[in-house]
């Protein structure tokens, strides 16, 4: 049975420590004076946004132990590993340095969409690899949660470019919003297909028109052709398409909301009153506008149409 590790915060279940463990960004808002307290964030944003709060599940340890007993025979014996209870840690100092893995306060925490959940439920007696799982709110006994961060749901620590599993280990692989964060997506894609059993299924999502978002780094976005190119030499690609969770409206909302948040309060109010027609004016006509010049350098990098590199040999 799936185990709940997080639930939406309510007035009744609020606990500051458990809330901050799932929402570390709130600590910075309180520290710099934007919020009076952690509870202030809950009242103003957390309840409305359905922010998560951690819950203690006494069955987690036994479920992880049973799962890892099945996983142990699938682990490679040519890679260094330390065990912390039933957590397998392949994230050596060498791998951290080679892949630029650094500590981060960013937390990726999402439930499976319908496609991911269907894949998990299709193999109740098999094993599914969730590569770059993040902090999953539900713990499935047939899903191996693979991460660079030791979240409560994490089963194995390591990097995507060097998976510590033997060939043909998994019935299915999920990798959503991960390949943009690895330094070598071609190697990672090859590894994802290597550990799939013959006939195994892959569900992979990668951004195209998304702003910069580091967890802790963000290296590459991909066109539909680019995503196909990552895998086509190693697996039969059945389709590259757009689903509801990757609809263009998400990109539009993300860009506009982040743009507004990056402006001083007075300019933000004016920006929100602009019409679509205003924003569709020729870009050269808008560059000197306050809504353009009011963005910080960090916000420009996050939302840039493109970046340019200057170098010297």
């Amino acid at each position: 049975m799936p185990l709940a590790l997080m639930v939406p915060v309510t007035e009744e279940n609020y606990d500051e420590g458990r809330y901050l463990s799932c929402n570390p960004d709130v600590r910075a808002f309180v520290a710099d004076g934007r919020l009076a307290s952690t509870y202030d964030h809950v009242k103003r944003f957390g309840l409305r946004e359905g922010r998560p709060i951690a819950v203690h599940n006494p069955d987690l340890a036994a479920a992880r132990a049973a799962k890892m007993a099945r996983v142990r025979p699938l682990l490679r014996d040519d890679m260094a590993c330390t065990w912390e209870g039933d957590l397998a840690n392949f994230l050596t100092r060498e791998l951290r340095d080679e892949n630029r893995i650094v500590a981060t306060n960013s937390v990726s925490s999402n439930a499976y969409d319908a496609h991911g959940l269907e894949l998990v439920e299709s193999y109740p007696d098999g094993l599914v690899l969730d590569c770059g799982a993040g902090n999953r709110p539900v713990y499935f006994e047939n899903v191996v949660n693979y991460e660079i961060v030791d979240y409560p749901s994490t089963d194995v620590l390591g990097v995507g470019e060097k998976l510590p599993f033997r060939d043909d280990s998994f019935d299915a692989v999920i990798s959503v919003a991960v390949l943009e964060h690895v330094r070598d997506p071609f190697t990672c894609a090859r590894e994802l297909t290597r550990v799939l059993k013959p006939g195994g299924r892959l569900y992979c999502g990668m951004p195209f028109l998304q702003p910069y978002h580091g967890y802790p780094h963000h290296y590459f976005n991909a066109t539909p052709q680019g995503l196909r190119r990552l895998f086509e030499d190693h697996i039969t690609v059945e389709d590259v398409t757009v689903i509801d969770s990757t609809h263009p409206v998400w990109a539009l909302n993300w860009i506009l909301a982040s743009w507004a948040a990056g402006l001083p309060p007075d300019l933000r109010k004016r920006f929100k009153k602009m019409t679509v027609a205003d924003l569709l004016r020729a870009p050269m006509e808008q560059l000197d506008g306050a809504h353009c010049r009011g963005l910080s350098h960090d916000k420009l990098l996050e939302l840039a149409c493109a970046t340019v590199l200057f170098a010297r040999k």
Side-chain angles (χ1 to χ4, degrees):
M1 290 290 293
L3 306 177
L5 302 184
M6 289 182 279
V7 296
V9 68
T10 66
E11 294 276 4
E12 291 72 27
N13 68 16
Y14 171 71
D15 174 88
E16 183 176 38
R18 292 190 290 113
Y19 188 72
L20 286 173
S21 71
C22 299
N23 304 279
D25 58 319
V26 177
R27 197 183 303 274
F29 297 153
V30 175
D32 66 14
R34 282 179 284 175
L35 292 169
S37 66
T38 304
Y39 186 60
D40 185 35
H41 183 275
V42 172
K43 292 188 296 181
R44 295 174 58 184
F45 305 104
L47 296 173
R48 173 169 51 85
E49 296 174 357
R51 288 279 190 126
I53 186 169
V55 296
H56 172 67
N57 197 310
D59 298 322
L60 177 61
R64 173 172 285 124
K67 179 197 298 183
M68 294 308 292
R70 300 174 61 199
V71 172
R72 281 177 183 260
L74 305 177
L75 297 176
R76 293 167 57 173
D77 55 15
D78 62 338
M79 293 178 61
C81 176
T82 57
W83 286 87
E84 301 161 23
D86 286 306
L87 175 73
N89 186 355
F90 288 87
L91 202 54
T92 63
R93 172 53 57 190
E94 291 75 18
L95 279 180
R96 284 183 176 274
D97 293 343
E98 180 182 346
N99 294 279
R100 310 295 196 272
I101 305 300
V102 297
T104 176
N105 288 324
S106 299
V107 175
S108 173
S109 181
N110 295 288
Y112 290 119
D113 63 13
H115 301 276
L117 190 59
E118 184 274 327
L119 206 59
V120 170
E121 293 177 342
S122 293
Y123 302 97
D125 299 319
L127 283 174
V128 177
L129 174 64
D130 189 345
C131 184
N135 191 13
R136 288 293 184 192
V138 176
Y139 189 82
F140 289 88
E141 296 180 43
N142 64 327
V143 177
V144 177
N145 297 300
Y146 186 72
E147 255 295 334
I148 62 169
V149 180
D150 183 9
Y151 296 120
S153 59
T154 302
D155 297 309
V156 182
L157 287 167
V159 299
E161 293 94 331
K162 193 171 184 179
L163 297 181
F165 309 103
R166 299 180 189 275
D167 296 357
D168 308 334
S169 290
F170 294 97
D171 298 281
V173 170
I174 296 171
S175 177
V176 176
V178 172
L179 288 176
E180 70 269 31
H181 301 300
V182 300
R183 285 172 56 82
D184 188 346
F186 280 91
T187 296
C188 186
R190 186 167 61 249
E191 283 287 275
L192 294 177
T193 57
R194 178 184 64 78
V195 300
L196 262 179
K197 293 179 180 178
R201 296 166 60 192
L202 171 68
Y203 172 41
C204 181
M206 187 176 183
F208 174 31
L209 297 180
Q210 283 186 10
Y212 173 83
H213 55 281
Y215 283 96
H217 304 298
H218 181 168
Y219 294 104
F220 300 101
N221 285 12
T223 65
Q225 291 174 324
L227 180 55
R228 178 182 293 272
R229 181 70 194 95
L230 288 174
F231 290 97
E232 62 185 0
D233 290 344
H234 316 293
I235 197 170
T236 301
V237 178
E238 297 176 336
D239 196 13
V240 178
T241 188
V242 176
I243 59 178
D244 282 353
S245 59
T246 63
H247 190 281
V249 71
W250 292 97
L252 182 63
N253 179 272
W254 187 340
I255 292 171
L256 290 176
S258 187
W259 192 315
L263 294 171
D266 57 329
L267 295 182
R268 186 181 309 141
K269 291 180 181 179
R270 290 161 54 187
F271 179 72
K272 288 183 175 181
K273 292 181 180 179
M274 295 179 70
T275 66
V276 173
D278 292 331
L279 295 172
L280 285 176
R281 289 183 298 124
M284 286 299 295
E285 297 177 9
Q286 300 188 57
L287 279 176
D288 285 329
H291 67 290
C292 290
R293 298 305 182 197
L295 292 175
S296 67
H297 181 66
D298 285 346
K299 188 60 67 171
L300 290 175
L301 289 175
E302 177 189 338
L303 300 173
C305 176
T307 54
V308 297
L309 181 145
F310 298 95
R312 184 189 302 274
K313 183 175 181 180

